[in-house]
């Protein structure tokens, strides 16, 4: 029986397998995938970072954002370490 769900990195589209216990691994690298601040899996710290920047840049009145906001940074550090 299939015990994983196929998903993909919200930033780069890398294939990710999601397990029933809500952990996830990147198919290609076998590294752990992490849950992004704004929802969706990400395959690496840089994808996590870029997904936050892309999302926050789309907020009304945000202008051009180059670094994630404080709560996003907190989540990124929680996901990948300092
Ligand atoms: Zn990615």
């Amino acid at each position: 029986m299939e015990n994983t769900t196929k998903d993909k990195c919200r930033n780069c589209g890398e294939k990710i397998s999601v397990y029933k216990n809500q952990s996830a691994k990147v198919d290609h690298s076998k590294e752990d995938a992490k849950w992004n601040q704004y929802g969706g899996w990400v395959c690496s710290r840089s994808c996590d970072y870029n997904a936050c920047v892309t999302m926050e840049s789309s907020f009304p009145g945000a202008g051009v954002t180059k670094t994630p906001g404080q709560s996003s940074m907190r989540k990124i550090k929680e996901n990948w370490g300092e």
Side-chain angles (χ1 to χ4, degrees), residues 5-48:
T5 311
K6 291 295 172 190
D7 209 326
K8 54 186 170 43
C9 172
R10 68 169 285 170
N11 186 61
C12 73
E14 189 73 60
K15 286 196 185 71
I16 288 170
S17 295
V18 183
Y19 297 85
K20 281 234 162 47
N21 65 3
Q22 290 304 297
S23 70
K25 280 200 188 308
V26 182
D27 280 12
H28 175 68
S29 64
K30 308 294 180 208
E31 299 287 337
D32 289 342
K34 303 288 182 179
W35 189 252
N36 181 256
Q37 167 80 357
Y38 298 104
W41 295 100
V42 282
C43 73
S44 67
R45 186 191 178 98
S46 62
C47 279
D48 203 0

Side-chain angles (χ1 to χ4, degrees), residues 56-65:
E56 289 171 16
S57 297
S58 74
F59 291 169
V64 179
T65 306

